[in-house]
Amino acid sequence: MCGIVAYVGAKDAAPILLEGLQRLEYRGYDSAGVVVSNKGLKVRKVKGRVADLAKVVPARFKGGLGIGHTRWATHGVPSDVNAHPHLSADERVAVVHNGIIENADELRAKLEADGAVFVSETDTEVLAHLIARTVEDTPSLEEAVRLALKSVVGTYGIAVIDGQRPGEVVVARNGSPIVLGIGEKEMFAASDVAALVRYTRQVVHLEDGELAVLKADGFHTFASGGRETAKEPLTVDVEAGHYDTGGYEHYLLKEISEQPDTVARTLRGRLDERFHIAHLGGLNMDARETRSFRRVKIIGCGSAYYSGQIGAQLVEELARIPADAEPASEFRYRNPVVDPDTLYVAISQSGETYDTLAAVQELKRKGGRVIGIVNAVGSAIAREVDGGIYLHAGPEVSVASTKAFTSTAIAFALLALHFGRVHDLSPADGRRIVDGLAKLPDQIEEILKQGDHIAELARKYATNPSMMFVGRVRGYPVAREGAQKLKEISYIHAEAYPASELKHGPLALIGPDMPTVAIVPDDELLDKNLTTLGEIRARGGNVLMVGHRRPDAKLADDSIVVPKNEIELDPILLTIPLQLLAYHAAVALERDVDRPRNLAKSVTVE
Ligand code: G6P
């Protein structure tokens, strides 16, 4: 988390940095700061948003070299002092940092013993002091940064400037992303291309351990030992407009509303209506290899994990291969047994979630076969895996995931179809799934038309302090994602349970102020689900049923009816109204919908 931007060129850096930081705010938004170089360093930093920072940056904040930062606090509370950039005591060196320096306490103690005086509680300040110690005596800033990084244990994406070398920025990466942007006699660097696309489409991703020196007329990259590396620039196919709200009140509503389109993009060119199969060339796997896997293990964090649960269900049902999903954050810490007959699938919208990336790296170290389901093209996870499926859902800006969630579930349906058809899924069943997938964009459009009805329900239910979400088997991951969406953006306490487990404990919570959102598809478990609704109503609980038919008034107070698809694909459609329910509840409660408190979109720390 945290976003960093750097600029060197003939223009004034400050407006470019502020604009870039705005684009990176999804990464962290508790404080922000910029520094520009113009006969010494000039700094402004504040607790608060980038908009608050812009208010304190004066018009005469000139200088063609600068770095900026938007923060998600790890070491030290959000405050003006803890905001980045951090400067050396002589105010010669300035650093912005994304990541965590694990041995910061130890380094700080050593530096303090040497006489350094620290002003903030951050781990980053250590870097400014370390670099300042050698910057005078080393031939280049690059050398001073490299020396400092030698004593650092942890993760970082950093940008550093030296007030006495006004023409260059040094950036380095280890675990936190850095992408360089190549302009006309100007260079940029940032945590994400989002901050660059207004200025250039030509980018270069740094690898872990790499360091780069940027000057107005170009850049040089170096491996950790100092050897120069050759990098081919990549042209990114996103436009600045993709990062705008496009006339919607919030990014979240824009991203929910885009789903008929984004789902069509995920499916484009991948459905074969002749052989009823899926084309997934990015997997880099022939039929023989595809048949060789005995299990599928899916890992991801947050919403990515819940979409993985839908994925596991799809793989088991369509391909009859045992599959399960686990939070990547747990997986990596339990010394997992890596099995050669298992296919590992890592899911990540951003492609840079540290826990997921670390799990992938652990799997690769142990010889596991890993594919990725990733939205951000060229991201760290995409580069690390052996093959995979890109979502093509376009940039997702709002912290809560919606369109990427849906597209991931679609990608799993394609993967399950692909595996199914090399195993025992019949052509007839293959056709059923291909036809079902093709219908999804129009059916999502139908659900979106119910926005007003769902908004009304959201206003009614948002008055409750807590909500229960229940679903059985295919409906359970839907319930989990529904609860996740609601809690993260509305701050209403929400719990998800398998409907079958309700009577084994949580039924004790049910009462007039704990309503239940029940996921009730028309499948073979319909009667069981209706019985559960009866049990909830008998305990005085209100029920909002999300399913395929209007319920009996005895069983539910309210309902949202969604179009029916194939039973295996229904979970994808059942999730959409829950996104709208959470969105409208958050709006009713006047929450910061796109930037919920305490969270960040890309969690690049452990
Ligand atoms: C964070 C976000 C979640 C997201 C998760 C995984 O926790 O707040 O919305 O689902 O990271 O992100 P990824 O980019 O790996 O899908």
Side-chain angles (χ1 to χ4, degrees):
M1 25 253 295
C2 302
I4 69 183
V5 199
Y7 174 78
V8 53
K11 300 191 189 115
D12 272 328
I16 295 170
L17 298 176
L18 288 169
E19 149 77 28
L21 291 179
Q22 206 106 49
R23 305 275 174 200
L24 296 181
E25 249 190 342
Y26 71 86
R27 306 177 69 85
Y29 33 83
D30 57 43
S31 49
V34 285
V35 55
V36 297
S37 172
N38 183 2
K39 301 191 192 90
L41 300 183
K42 291 193 283 189
V43 188
R44 291 290 185 283
K45 49 186 198 170
V46 292
K47 176 181 171 193
R49 300 284 165 93
V50 176
D52 301 311
L53 173 66
K55 284 185 208 143
V56 301
V57 172
R60 291 192 53 74
F61 203 68
K62 304 283 177 196
L65 170 74
I67 56 180
H69 188 268
T70 176
R71 180 170 186 245
W72 186 85
T74 56
H75 286 62
V77 294
S79 69
D80 291 359
V81 173
N82 287 335
H84 300 212
H86 289 285
L87 270 64
S88 55
D90 59 2
E91 301 196 347
R92 176 174 169 174
V93 172
V95 181
V96 291
H97 168 221
N98 167 200
I100 292 183
I101 298 174
E102 284 160 18
N103 59 341
D105 289 347
E106 183 194 319
L107 292 171
R108 189 179 177 120
K110 273 195 206 150
L111 285 159
E112 278 174 339
D114 276 358
V117 178
F118 281 74
V119 293
S120 78
E121 302 159 275
T122 65
D123 51 343
T124 308
E125 198 183 343
V126 160
L127 274 175
H129 287 278
L130 277 176
I131 297 166
R133 273 203 321 192
T134 58
V135 76
E136 189 84 58
D137 308 320
T138 45
S140 63
L141 178 61
E142 165 207 337
E143 200 49 46
V145 172
R146 188 172 293 125
L147 271 175
L149 290 177
K150 271 194 183 144
S151 42
V152 162
V153 179
T155 57
Y156 51 79
I158 54 166
V160 187
I161 58 173
D162 172 357
Q164 306 207 358
R165 289 184 177 103
E168 64 178 5
V169 190
V170 173
V171 295
R173 167 192 168 130
N174 185 39
S176 305
I178 296 278
V179 46
L180 314 183
I182 306 164
E184 278 287 310
K185 300 212 168 44
E186 56 187 1
M187 282 293 302
F188 308 81
S191 306
D192 182 348
V193 289
L196 308 177
V197 286
R198 264 195 78 172
Y199 310 102
T200 178
R201 303 273 184 79
Q202 292 291 103
V203 305
V204 165
H205 291 276
L206 288 196
E207 300 294 336
D208 278 347
E210 272 186 326
L211 175 150
V213 180
L214 318 185
K215 296 188 180 170
D217 59 2
F219 70 98
H220 292 275
T221 54
F222 303 91
S224 51
R227 179 182 49 85
E228 185 154 359
T229 48
K231 308 284 283 190
E232 267 306 304
L234 206 106
T235 308
V236 287
D237 68 349
V238 280
E239 289 163 23
H242 290 157
Y243 294 97
D244 293 337
T245 49
Y248 286 93
E249 204 178 328
H250 297 102
Y251 281 107
L252 192 69
L253 186 59
K254 176 194 175 205
E255 287 159 8
I256 292 172
S257 307
E258 274 175 350
Q259 290 177 108
D261 253 15
T262 52
V263 163
R265 286 212 295 272
T266 306
L267 290 172
R268 190 161 301 147
R270 287 168 167 167
L271 290 179
D272 185 320
E273 302 198 347
R274 185 154 162 237
F275 298 110
H276 323 302
I277 56 173
H279 291 294
L280 295 169
L283 293 181
N284 306 326
M285 235 186 257
D286 61 19
R288 186 180 293 259
E289 194 182 357
T290 308
R291 279 192 73 90
S292 69
F293 296 109
R294 299 268 161 268
R295 291 192 69 86
V296 173
K297 176 89 195 175
I298 301 160
I299 53 171
C301 296
S303 289
Y305 160 54
Y306 299 134
S307 65
Q309 285 200 307
I310 292 185
Q313 186 84 41
L314 279 160
V315 171
E316 287 209 346
E317 282 202 81
L318 297 181
R320 302 305 295 158
I321 303 174
D324 74 309
E326 182 178 345
S329 44
E330 288 285 290
F331 178 82
R332 60 178 287 228
Y333 284 118
R334 65 175 177 79
N335 191 20
V337 176
V338 175
D339 165 26
D341 294 335
T342 297
L343 176 68
Y344 295 89
V345 186
I347 309 167
S348 180
Q349 185 288 127
S350 61
E352 56 172 277
T353 297
Y354 190 75
D355 281 324
T356 311
L357 178 62
V360 169
Q361 288 167 337
E362 177 71 3
L363 279 166
K364 304 246 3 222
R365 265 192 295 275
K366 291 180 167 174
R369 182 81 153 94
V370 198
I371 61 166
I373 296 184
V374 172
N375 194 30
V377 175
S379 55
I381 294 170
R383 281 177 287 141
E384 196 80 38
V385 291
D386 302 312
I389 307 174
Y390 275 128
L391 300 181
H392 301 303
E396 192 180 67
V397 176
S398 194
V399 165
S401 183
T402 51
K403 63 175 179 172
F405 178 92
T406 305
S407 282
T408 303
I410 306 271
F412 270 114
L414 291 166
L415 188 70
L417 172 66
H418 177 64
F419 281 170
R421 293 286 289 118
V422 298
H423 283 90
D424 298 326
L425 190 73
S426 67
D429 274 331
R431 165 181 290 168
R432 200 168 56 73
I433 298 302
V434 167
D435 292 349
L437 283 167
K439 271 197 269 179
L440 286 172
D442 287 346
Q443 291 184 315
I444 295 175
E445 198 77 67
E446 285 299 306
I447 298 172
L448 297 176
K449 285 189 192 144
Q450 297 186 54
D452 290 345
H453 167 58
I454 298 171
E456 201 179 303
L457 292 172
R459 284 190 287 273
K460 173 176 168 188
Y461 283 88
T463 55
N464 292 288
S466 282
M467 279 172 83
M468 182 69 79
F469 284 70
V470 296
R472 252 190 185 79
V473 187
R474 296 181 201 97
Y476 178 49
V478 177
R480 294 192 85 183
E481 173 59 10
Q484 167 93 343
K485 266 319 59 95
L486 186 72
K487 74 179 85 154
E488 66 185 337
I489 60 171
S490 76
Y491 318 151
I492 296 173
H493 169 236
E495 286 206 44
Y497 259 89
S500 50
E501 277 287 297
L502 208 55
K503 56 187 175 297
H504 297 300
L507 204 51
L509 296 170
I510 297 296
D513 57 358
M514 173 71 119
T516 300
V517 176
I519 314 304
V520 185
D522 253 6
D523 61 8
E524 73 281 12
L525 300 169
L526 178 66
D527 289 343
K528 300 243 172 290
N529 280 321
L530 294 179
T531 305
T532 304
L533 301 195
E535 288 166 6
I536 297 168
R537 291 295 298 258
R539 271 104 189 145
N542 294 323
V543 173
L544 164 56
M545 176 174 137
V546 181
H548 296 120
R549 54 171 84 181
R550 263 192 213 297
D552 189 320
K554 287 202 294 287
L555 294 179
D557 303 83
D558 295 292
S559 64
I560 302 170
V561 177
V562 305
K564 179 89 186 75
N565 197 301
E566 300 302 325
I567 47 173
E568 298 91 338
L569 303 177
D570 280 332
I572 300 171
L573 290 170
L574 289 162
T575 313
I576 312 284
L578 304 185
Q579 299 171 344
L580 285 167
L581 187 73
Y583 171 74
H584 289 294
V587 170
L589 295 169
E590 297 181 7
R591 306 300 193 215
D592 192 343
V593 174
D594 288 325
R595 297 184 193 96
R597 69 184 180 202
N598 306 340
L599 300 180
K601 188 158 188 67
S602 294
V603 183
T604 57
V605 295
E606 295 184 74

